[in-house]
Structures are given as structure tokens and as C-alpha cells.
Amino acid sequence: MAGAGPADDTAPYLAEALTRHLGRPVSLTEIGLAEPFPVPAPDWRADTLAALADLGRGDLDVERRRALSPAAYSAAALAVPGSEWWTQRAEQSAIRPATGRRRVGRGDLDAVRDMVAMFSRIDQRHGGGHARAAVVQYLTTDVSTYLGGRFTDDQVRREMFAAASELAYLSGGMAFDNAEHAIAQRYFTLSVSLAAEADDAPMAGHVLRAMAHQAADLGHGRQAVNLANASMDGPRYASAAPRERALLGVVRARALAANGQPKAAAAALLRAGDDLAAATPGHDEPGRVFFFGEASLAHETACTLRDTGDLGGALREFRHSVRTRKAATFTRTHAVTLGYLGSVQARQGAIEEACATWSRALDAMDGIHSARARRTTADMRRALSPVRGRGIPAVAELDARAAAYLTESA
């Protein structure tokens, strides 16, 4: 049977109808209407569990993942569904029949949360290129089985879907860090769908914020602002803990800066700072925001100021981020922050100071598997290009180290 093309709008509905009829997820691949991977674009209409099965199967196929080009990232798929979609997802999840016999209780939920916490810390320490396959494998086997099981009560069901959403978000974040943008977008879309089934508004906001960050990085400023606004809409912001509100707000500031709105970006930064000042560590904070604190706010603030042309402010905030971050725990971001700081120093003409900062960044990159770290290193070499032949020892040494890192980490 021929595969379904992007214009075939009936395929998702057929898969959903069969899913409901058979009482288990039925993917487009299973009924011969699509190649396992890649798919044309994220589809908000797809059944959540069927989409999980399709995405995981393709992502674990190394050759198919390598064949997915950056052009497959879909700006058209960034439109956030309307209120009816969110209501339907929550309602459908509550009445979806179990597809397996496994009884799923709070002990299973605690195990998934422990695994999410462990993988999150590995990502922060070693980068998105490390252990992502293990995250996907766990999501598409153990966790997928739980999602189709018989829950002891509805609260456990909702919390399990929220935990699965967080794991899908982590898969997307790791792919994003590794410059696998089309794959990241699909995981983020899946994560939003899982959060909607859990009826967990703050979790949905958390993921929409990540999608805004990705869109801004890829040059889609208008869509980034729309996503950032959606991440703070209604209970996604109002029901979130102050620390998470600050995270949503500072990414909105970055999106506004990327879209050429410096005054609105400045106001958003002030609001994010106020929200973080109101945060107090405790049981009311979700584990997913463990990484966001003073150093992270300073990093995002610096990026926002840099993008609005305020290099002096960016320099101040990048330095503050470097001083206050726990580098041994958040090594990947620390290395990137140092890289960005060096770039600002170079733009201000302080080349030797930039080389010293970049040397610290390369020290921190030992053991990091991250395309963002590689991109930061490539940026170092580009910034050094105009002065490479001037006989400056610090430039020659740093350029050689950067070239070696890019070769060794390829």
C-alpha cells in the first residue's frame, strides 16, 4: 500500500477510529499509511499513544534519525490548538479503555518520576547527546506500557500521564540540545498532548515555553512570541509555582527580543525577576524546574540583552551567571554561558580576555555531548578569524584547541 502523503487528511482520523474500535493505539505505520519515520510534520490531531509508538519506533532507528534534515522542522505546526482541543484531550483520556492487564499504582508512578529525575540530571551534566536513546527506550517501553494499563485511581492516571509528558519533554530537550530540531519538535508536541491528557496546565506551559525557545533559536520570532504567550495563558501561568513562572517569563523575554520588541522584552525581564524573587524551594515546586535559579535567569537575561544590542548589560549578566552557577552539576549550560560571554567580549574588542574565557569554556566541555557546545566552539573560531594571522599567542593556542575539540567531538 502506498504511504500517505502530507495532503492525506483522512489518515489520522482512520488511525484514531481504529484505535477506539480496537481499544489500543493503532499507528499510521501499522495500517500502511505512513513510513515509520520521519513524518511530514507534527500532527496535533493524532492519538497520543499511537503518536508515541510511531515516534519512538522511528527515533530508535539510527539510520532514519540521521536522514532527518533540519528542513523538516515545521514552522507551520507551531500554531497552538484552541480550547476545544485541550478539553477533548482531557475528556478522551479519562474514558480511554485500558489496552493491557497491568495494574498501575503509585509505586509505578514513583519509579517513573525517579527515572525522569535521574535522566534530567544526566542531561544537565553531560548534554543532550548522552543517553538520549536510553530515555526514548524507557519512554516507549516501560512508560508506554503504564499508560495503557489499568490505573488504581484517576489521580494516578493523571499523574502518570504528566510524568510521561515530562519524559517526552526531556527527550525533546535532549534532541534540541543535540541540534536534532525536527525530532525535538515532535517530542515537544507529544509532550503537550500528554500534558493535556493529564489536564496539567503548568506542565503544558513548561513545554510550550521550550517550543518558544526552540523557535526563537531557529529564527522564527513571531511564532516564538505566540508560543511564549500561550505558555503563560490562563492556568498555565496562574497555577504554576513562582520559579516556573519566572522561567516562562524569561523565555518570553527572549522571544520578544528575537522578534524585535526590545521594550516588551525589558518589561518581561522585570516580571521574570520578580517571580523568581518570590520563589522559595519546597514541595510545591515541580522537580522539572530544579535547574532554574539565579544563574539561569542571568544567562537568559544576558541572551535577551545581547539580542537587543545591549552588549554591556549582556556582559554583566553573563558574568553573574558564571559566578553563581553550580558548574559541577550544570556543566553543559556553564560551558555554553562561558562561550557566549567570550563572544560578547570579542565583539567589544577584548580578544585576549575572550580567549581566556573561551579556554575555560573548552575546559568545561570535557565529557559534554552537545551540539550547542559544538556550535559555541565553532563560533569561537569564526570570531577569531579576523585576528588569526596577527601572531597573538593566546589566539593561536585557543584556535588550535577549538579545532581539536571540533574534530574529536564530531
Side-chain angles (χ1 to χ4, degrees):
M1 182 181 292
D8 186 351
D9 291 333
T10 63
Y13 293 109
L14 179 56
E16 183 175 353
L18 287 171
T19 293
R20 293 181 179 182
H21 177 70
L22 297 176
R24 63 176 179 81
V26 176
S27 68
L28 296 179
T29 302
E30 183 178 347
I31 57 178
L33 293 179
E35 291 298 317
F37 203 73
V39 294
D43 188 351
W44 294 101
R45 302 165 302 174
D47 176 80
T48 306
L49 300 189
L52 170 58
D54 263 339
L55 181 56
R57 184 183 301 111
D59 191 14
L60 291 172
D61 185 324
V62 176
E63 294 305 317
R64 289 188 179 276
R65 188 170 69 246
R66 287 176 178 169
L68 187 58
S69 72
Y73 177 87
S74 173
L78 296 178
V80 180
S83 58
E84 183 179 356
W85 180 88
W86 296 90
T87 301
Q88 288 177 347
R89 289 282 145 156
E91 291 176 347
Q92 290 171 2
S93 184
I95 62 174
R96 179 190 283 118
T99 58
R101 296 182 178 181
R102 177 160 187 149
R103 183 178 180 273
V104 182
R106 189 147 300 271
D108 300 306
L109 176 62
D110 290 342
V112 173
R113 286 173 169 168
D114 286 346
M115 292 295 286
V116 171
M118 180 190 73
F119 283 131
S120 295
R121 281 163 173 75
I122 289 173
D123 173 51
Q124 289 289 336
R125 173 64 183 87
H126 297 289
H130 185 84
R132 194 172 77 76
V135 176
V136 174
Q137 185 73 45
Y138 182 64
L139 173 64
T140 56
T141 53
D142 297 62
V143 177
S144 181
T145 299
Y146 293 144
L147 296 178
R150 301 177 183 277
F151 295 97
T152 53
D153 57 66
D154 194 61
Q155 185 64 27
V156 168
R157 177 194 64 80
R158 289 178 55 190
E159 291 184 35
M160 182 64 81
F161 270 81
S165 173
E166 190 168 348
L167 195 59
Y169 153 76
L170 178 60
S171 298
M174 295 174 86
F176 174 28
D177 184 54
N178 210 36
E180 298 174 284
H181 290 295
I183 298 175
Q185 184 183 28
R186 285 156 177 78
Y187 277 111
F188 288 150
T189 303
L190 173 64
S191 179
V192 171
S193 189
L194 287 162
E197 295 214 14
D199 199 19
D200 189 331
M203 182 67 221
H206 189 82
V207 188
L208 290 168
R209 177 272 320 169
M211 296 176 74
H213 187 177
Q214 182 185 30
D217 266 20
L218 296 179
H220 303 288
R222 178 176 58 82
Q223 292 91 337
V225 171
N226 291 340
L227 286 162
N229 288 341
S231 78
M232 298 180 69
D233 185 45
R236 294 171 202 149
Y237 176 84
S239 299
R243 189 176 305 277
E244 189 153 50
R245 292 181 185 181
L247 174 58
L248 301 181
V250 78
V251 171
R252 181 170 177 269
R254 284 198 65 179
L256 289 164
N259 199 43
Q261 298 174 252
K263 290 184 178 179
L269 286 177
L270 289 174
R271 182 179 180 182
D274 289 343
D275 279 334
L276 187 60
T280 53
H283 66 275
D284 60 328
E285 289 188 346
R288 60 181 174 264
V289 296
F290 78 99
F291 68 92
F292 189 77
E294 182 181 0
S296 296
L297 180 67
H299 172 99
E300 299 296 343
T301 298
C303 289
T304 302
L305 296 175
R306 177 199 61 195
D307 293 347
T308 59
D310 182 0
L311 295 187
L315 191 67
R316 180 187 67 248
E317 293 297 327
F318 278 135
R319 283 174 170 160
H320 182 64
S321 181
V322 169
R323 283 197 310 270
T324 54
R325 179 174 289 110
K326 297 178 180 178
T329 302
F330 305 107
T331 313
R332 183 262 316 277
T333 305
H334 184 65
V336 172
T337 303
L338 285 166
Y340 290 171
L341 171 58
S343 293
V344 173
Q345 290 168 333
R347 287 174 65 179
Q348 292 188 317
I351 293 297
E352 294 199 34
E353 186 179 10
C355 286
T357 300
W358 281 331
S359 182
R360 292 171 62 195
L362 289 171
D363 290 342
M365 287 179 194
D366 183 34
I368 300 294
H369 301 275
S370 164
R372 270 188 282 190
R374 285 181 51 80
R375 185 177 67 186
T376 300
T377 307
D379 288 344
M380 295 178 195
R381 301 203 71 208
R382 277 191 289 272
L384 292 175
S385 181
V387 297
R388 190 171 287 135
R390 296 184 184 177
I392 304 173
V395 170
E397 181 182 351
L398 192 282
D399 187 56
R401 284 193 66 193
Y405 173 80
L406 290 172
T407 300
E408 294 164 2
S409 63

